[in-house]
């Protein structure tokens, strides 16, 4: 009888106020309210958001390293590793190109910059100096060379995702061929579980971090800024939603899963990204959620970290929408050839957008500077709303990488379909604790 009662209580739904997504949602609403009614006080909440994001970034390096190493060592097949990597990169290139094209089409139809009539000569270029200076350093060769760290420890000290992924792949491959590597693999696997336990503790601070970041954003930039550039914001948000629900939705449906159920499953991660304006804040927990959905950890470990640099769908949309908006706002006429050239350059520069702080803005500055068709000084028009636009592009980036992981897993036959269907439907509720699943 006692066993039956304990079983039924375990199956009973948790109270709504104990759910992390509900707590984060309330925190976001409170942050908006504080930013609107008391901007000076709201701006003082910035350390709460910054502190939470730093806590998450602190965990990214060890979680990626241990997850990738255990995944590759458990895979034990170098050909399979190369196959998964090539399929992921092919998917990234096709989908991000589609995002660039969709952004171009929508912004040309809506024309959010028409009628602004901004004169580049009167704009304050000093306010964007930090972005244009950083943008001058961006090049395809530098991006590729940056994947190789100067020192092994530098990658972990700086939190460079691609460098950590590169080291983890080499370490995992070496461990696979090392005949006495079993004790080392067990040690890394156990360490991985400890790191995820640490992540579980940190996630309790998610509502506080979301509150602080959102309060600062509204208090610093204000709702008035959104009204001033409302057409641009609306254009970007509509484009992002079209991409997620139409493009990603069709891709998801073609591979046997629902985009709506997936987003509902990832609601905690999406709300954290919305509150903090960075998709990095949800990277570790996204990896956990996808593994619990039935995706093989080796696929998760390869696709998610690489996707954070090569599969930035939201950033791709932002770059085309912003570039054409600035051309419209400054009455700069672009020919069809110039627009095509813009897309080609963005196909390359967008891949490095996550490698630097303020990546989207810096990449935009670098692209405009290299083309000399749209005045670089015009990006000062975006300074006030970039923080709000970063929320949407981060949400799209997260959604795109989640879909990419499931698609590559489906291609490789590395997903438990029955488990995924049950979890997404809500019939099986995964544990709220962020811990890796058992097995190697």
């Amino acid at each position: 009888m006692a066993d039956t009662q304990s079983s039924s209580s375990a199956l009973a739904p948790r109270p709504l106020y104990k759910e992390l997504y509900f707590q984060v949602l309330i925190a976001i609403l409170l942050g908006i309210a504080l930013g609107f009614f008391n901007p000076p006080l709201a701006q003082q909440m910035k350390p709460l958001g910054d502190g939470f994001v730093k806590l998450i970034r602190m965990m990214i390096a060890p979680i990626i390293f241990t997850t990738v190493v255990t995944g590759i060592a458990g895979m034990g097949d170098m050909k399979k590793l190369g196959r998964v990597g090539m399929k992921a990169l092919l998917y990234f290139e096709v989908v991000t190109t589609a995002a660039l094209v969709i952004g171009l089409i929508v912004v040309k139809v809506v024309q959010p910059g028409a009628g602004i009539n901004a004169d580049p000569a009167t704009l304050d270029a000093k306010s964007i100096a930090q972005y244009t200076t950083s943008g001058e350093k961006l090049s395809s060769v530098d991006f590729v060379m940056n994947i190789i760290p100067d020192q092994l420890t530098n990658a972990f000290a700086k939190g460079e995702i691609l460098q950590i992924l590169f080291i983890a792949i080499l370490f995992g491959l070496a461990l696979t061929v090392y005949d006495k590597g079993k004790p080392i693999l067990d040690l890394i696997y156990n360490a991985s579980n400890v790191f995820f336990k640490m992540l579980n503790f940190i996630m309790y601070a998610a509502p506080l971090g979301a509150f602080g970041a959102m309060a600062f954003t509204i208090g610093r930039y204000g709702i008035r800024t959104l009204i001033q550039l409302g057409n641009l914001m609306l254009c970007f948000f509509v484009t992002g939603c079209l991409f997620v629900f139409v493009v990603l939705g069709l891709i998801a449906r073609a591979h046997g899963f629902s985009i709506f159920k997936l987003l509902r499953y990832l609601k905690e991660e999406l709300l954290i990204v919305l509150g903090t304006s960075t998709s990095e804040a949800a990277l570790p927990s996204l990896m956990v959620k996808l593994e619990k959905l039935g995706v093989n950890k080796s696929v998760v470990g390869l696709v998610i970290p690489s996707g954070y640099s090569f599969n930035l769908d939201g950033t791709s949309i932002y770059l085309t929408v912003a570039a054409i908006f600035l051309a419209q706002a400054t009455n700069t006429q672009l020919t069809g050839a110039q627009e095509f050239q813009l897309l080609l350059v963005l196909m390359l520069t967008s891949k490095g957008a996550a490698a630097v702080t303020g990546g989207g803005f810096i990449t935009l500055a670098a692209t405009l500077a290299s083309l000399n068709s749209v005045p670089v000084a015009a990006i000062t028009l975006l300074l006030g709303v970039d923080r709000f636009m970063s929320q949407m592009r981060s949400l799209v980036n997260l959604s795109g990488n989640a879909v990419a992981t499931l698609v590559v897993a489906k291609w490789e036959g590395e997903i438990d379909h029955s488990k995924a269907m049950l979890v997404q439907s809500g019939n099986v509720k995964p544990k709220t604790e962020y811990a890796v699943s058992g097995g190697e």
Side-chain angles (χ1 to χ4, degrees):
M1 187 67 168
D3 291 341
T4 304
Q5 289 177 345
S6 61
S7 171
S8 61
S9 62
L11 294 174
R14 291 179 48 165
L16 188 61
Y17 68 88
K18 289 187 177 181
E19 296 288 352
L20 179 61
Y21 77 89
F22 181 75
Q23 295 171 4
V24 173
L25 178 60
I26 295 299
I28 289 174
L29 294 176
L30 291 175
I32 293 173
L34 180 62
F36 183 78
F37 292 108
N38 194 337
L41 179 61
Q43 293 183 52
Q44 296 178 30
M45 300 297 109
K46 188 175 185 292
L48 296 178
D50 292 346
F52 174 72
V53 172
K54 288 186 69 175
L55 285 171
I56 293 294
R57 285 177 175 163
M58 175 184 73
M59 301 305 303
I60 288 177
I63 284 177
I64 288 179
F65 179 78
T66 55
T67 301
V68 173
V69 169
T70 54
I72 291 176
M75 186 188 301
D77 187 348
M78 294 188 187
K79 290 183 179 180
K80 182 178 178 181
L81 174 66
R83 191 170 65 244
V84 170
M86 289 303 298
K87 287 180 178 179
L89 290 176
L90 175 63
Y91 175 91
F92 294 162
E93 190 58 46
V94 172
V95 177
T96 52
T97 301
L100 289 168
V101 173
I102 290 172
L104 177 64
I105 293 172
V106 174
V107 74
K108 283 180 65 66
V109 171
V110 178
Q111 295 192 356
I116 293 180
N117 300 319
D119 182 0
T122 64
L123 298 175
D124 181 15
K126 294 180 180 178
S127 59
I128 60 167
Q130 58 176 317
Y131 302 106
T132 54
T133 302
S134 300
E136 293 172 356
K137 301 175 183 178
L138 287 177
S139 70
S140 299
V141 175
D142 290 337
F143 177 68
V144 173
M145 293 301 295
N146 189 54
I147 296 176
I148 306 173
D150 295 325
Q151 299 290 335
L152 196 68
T153 55
N154 282 1
F156 295 91
K158 296 179 180 178
E160 295 284 352
I161 294 177
L162 282 182
Q163 291 184 2
I164 295 166
L165 179 62
F166 177 70
I167 294 170
I169 290 173
L170 289 178
F171 194 95
L173 291 174
L175 204 57
T176 301
V177 298
Y178 182 46
D179 55 357
K180 296 182 180 180
K182 186 64 167 59
I184 301 175
L185 179 59
D186 290 339
L187 177 64
I188 294 175
Y189 177 78
N190 290 327
S192 180
N193 280 282
V194 174
F195 289 133
F196 278 108
K197 292 287 186 182
M198 292 172 62
L199 176 64
N200 187 53
F201 295 144
I202 292 172
M203 292 305 292
Y204 285 116
L208 200 60
F211 166 76
M214 184 59 75
F216 168 76
T217 299
I218 301 297
R220 172 66 177 82
Y221 300 103
I223 302 296
R224 187 181 306 169
T225 309
L226 299 182
I227 299 173
Q228 292 173 343
L229 294 176
N231 288 337
L232 171 63
M233 294 293 297
L234 182 61
C235 176
F236 182 60
F237 275 67
V238 168
T239 308
C241 290
L242 282 174
F243 181 82
V244 170
F245 295 112
V246 177
V247 178
L248 294 183
L250 289 174
I251 293 174
R253 186 173 182 179
H255 290 83
F257 59 96
S258 167
I259 188 66
F260 297 100
K261 290 182 178 179
L262 177 63
L263 295 180
R264 184 177 63 186
Y265 174 64
L266 298 175
K267 56 184 177 293
E268 292 175 353
E269 286 67 32
L270 291 170
L271 285 171
I272 290 171
V273 168
L274 177 64
T276 59
S277 299
T278 172
S279 54
E280 277 192 1
L283 190 156
S285 58
L286 175 63
M287 295 176 68
V288 176
K289 282 286 191 73
L290 291 174
E291 189 180 333
K292 288 180 178 179
L293 199 58
V295 181
N296 186 286
K297 72 162 60 178
S298 61
V299 175
V300 173
L302 285 174
V303 177
I304 290 296
S306 57
Y308 265 65
S309 285
F310 296 104
N311 190 42
L312 303 174
D313 301 328
T315 303
S316 298
I317 293 172
Y318 163 81
L319 290 172
T320 46
V321 169
I324 301 301
F325 164 79
L326 295 177
Q328 295 169 353
T330 56
N331 297 317
T332 302
Q333 300 299 322
L334 297 178
T335 64
Q338 287 176 317
E339 290 176 352
F340 182 69
Q341 184 183 21
L342 174 66
L343 284 179
L344 289 179
V345 174
L346 287 176
M347 284 173 62
L348 298 174
T349 56
S350 63
K351 300 301 182 290
V356 287
T357 304
F361 221 64
I362 293 173
T363 303
L364 179 61
T367 302
L368 297 183
S370 65
L371 293 176
N372 292 318
S373 54
V374 180
V376 180
I379 67 174
T380 56
L381 296 172
L382 301 175
L383 284 175
V385 295
D386 184 69
R387 178 81 178 192
F388 296 102
M389 295 177 76
S390 71
Q391 294 173 329
M392 185 63 187
R393 63 179 181 247
S394 296
L395 290 171
V396 177
N397 288 341
L398 178 76
S399 304
N401 282 314
V403 172
T405 305
L406 292 178
V407 169
V408 174
K410 177 71 181 293
W411 288 347
E412 280 294 304
E414 294 290 348
I415 182 172
D416 187 336
H417 290 281
S418 58
K419 181 179 180 181
M421 293 296 289
L422 286 172
V423 172
Q424 285 192 79
S425 64
N427 294 329
V428 174
K429 185 175 178 62
K431 296 178 181 179
T432 54
E433 184 172 340
Y434 292 97
V436 291
S437 59
E440 295 178 3

